[in-house]
Amino acid sequence: MALKPEPTAPFHSVQYALRVLETVSRHGGGVTDAQIARETGLPVAHLTSLLLMLRREGYVEQVSDGAYVIGDSLVLLGSGVTRREALERKLQETLGELRDSVGAAVYISRYIDGEVKITQFADGPRTPKVNEWVDFRSAAHASAVGKCLLTQLDQNGRRDHLSRHKIARLTSRTITNERVLFSKLDSQPPTVPMLDLQEYAVGTVCAAVLLTAGSTVGCLALSLPIEHAHRLRAAADTLNRRAAPVVLSLAI
């Protein structure tokens, strides 16, 4: 699978978070924020926000003397054969928090073996998931999830996908011209959420943001019924800001 060069994501601080976790791991008896700053070279102001996020996600804990130690979440993620199950549980917890924060169903999608796949999602009575009336694997050209994944492929990768999943008109808003679609994908800034304004399904709007973790082609997405379309951009911005814990879980 051919990938485009990795973009600069809005949550590039994940790399810094990994650096912090490596430092805390080296100090089994605990390490102060001042020592972490010295060893990582991170400014104190930036480090403070990272430590808050890592504490919230359970990756580090602050003990009585103010020092930081590895938290329960990181211990679980490193527990051998149960790592995958622990990761899925951690991601599901994070998705549930995101769902409640943005007031919408949320999804993790990845491009695996040439196919669009929703790997996890969180919905609820007040945040229903999108009705998959057309298989997402065949609707990458129309859905926010699919378009976000396609932006991460190069031209040959996109053409290969569309040779196997022909462009079809799903609604009156669906882009059905390959040249127009590729132009739209190329002009999409990597730091801006990809939107689907009833292109996949009438009555539903969606947004998706990149999940960049190594060579993984993935995205984090949300969907809203059309009566809540006025909340889409604000919800997408919140999703973008809150994507870091998801990327971190995938990167560890």
Side-chain angles (χ1 to χ4, degrees):
M1 177 180 61
L3 306 182
K4 293 174 67 178
E6 186 173 314
T8 300
F11 31 87
H12 61 275
S13 60
V14 166
Q15 296 303 318
Y16 298 141
L18 290 173
R19 197 185 305 173
V20 170
L21 289 177
E22 289 171 359
T23 301
V24 177
S25 297
R26 288 198 300 269
H27 296 271
V31 59
T32 65
D33 53 358
Q35 182 67 25
I36 295 171
R38 283 194 296 271
E39 294 190 22
T40 61
L42 296 175
V44 173
H46 192 70
L47 178 60
T48 298
S49 62
L50 283 177
L51 287 171
L52 283 173
M53 185 268 282
L54 292 172
R55 287 179 63 189
R56 184 176 63 243
E57 296 300 316
Y59 290 120
V60 300
E61 296 176 5
Q62 195 169 23
V63 293
S64 57
D65 62 356
Y68 290 89
V69 297
I70 289 301
D72 290 341
S73 291
L74 196 60
V75 172
L76 287 173
L77 289 179
S79 56
V81 295
T82 63
R83 175 184 171 84
R84 182 175 178 179
E85 293 178 1
L87 174 59
E88 289 179 354
R89 287 198 300 271
K90 179 61 182 171
L91 284 173
Q92 199 62 43
E93 290 175 7
T94 302
L95 286 180
E97 293 169 359
L98 276 173
R99 174 199 60 207
D100 297 340
S101 177
V102 301
V106 293
Y107 316 77
I108 293 177
S109 179
R110 300 178 68 181
Y111 197 72
I112 302 173
D113 297 330
E115 300 293 351
V116 174
K117 295 185 179 181
I118 304 294
T119 55
Q120 284 182 256
F121 68 90
D123 63 348
R126 296 184 179 180
T127 53
K129 64 183 178 67
V130 65
N131 174 33
E132 190 179 350
W133 76 285
V134 172
D135 194 319
F136 284 131
R137 292 176 297 180
S138 302
H141 63 289
S143 67
V145 160
K147 289 186 294 179
C148 191
L149 296 176
L150 290 178
T151 63
Q152 299 173 66
L153 306 183
D154 65 10
Q155 296 285 335
N156 290 333
R158 295 172 188 172
R159 289 196 176 96
D160 172 71
H161 183 87
L162 295 179
S163 71
R164 292 179 288 106
H165 299 287
K166 302 299 184 183
I167 291 178
R169 185 177 299 281
L170 305 183
T171 77
S172 62
R173 294 174 177 266
T174 305
I175 297 174
T176 56
N177 181 287
E178 182 179 295
R179 180 182 58 80
V180 174
L181 175 64
F182 283 15
S183 177
K184 180 177 177 62
L185 296 178
D186 287 334
S187 64
Q188 177 74 17
T191 57
V192 176
M194 175 70 75
L195 302 181
D196 159 17
L197 305 177
Q198 300 189 90
E199 295 172 52
Y200 169 74
V202 174
T204 301
V205 294
C206 305
V209 300
L210 298 178
L211 286 182
T212 305
S215 61
T216 296
V217 174
C219 69
L220 183 63
L222 63 83
S223 65
L224 287 166
I226 190 63
E227 57 265 29
H228 293 288
H230 61 283
R231 296 200 294 110
L232 180 63
R233 291 186 185 276
D237 288 342
T238 300
L239 191 75
N240 214 5
R241 291 194 305 270
R242 297 285 303 277
V246 179
V247 181
L248 186 58
S249 292
L250 293 173
I252 290 175

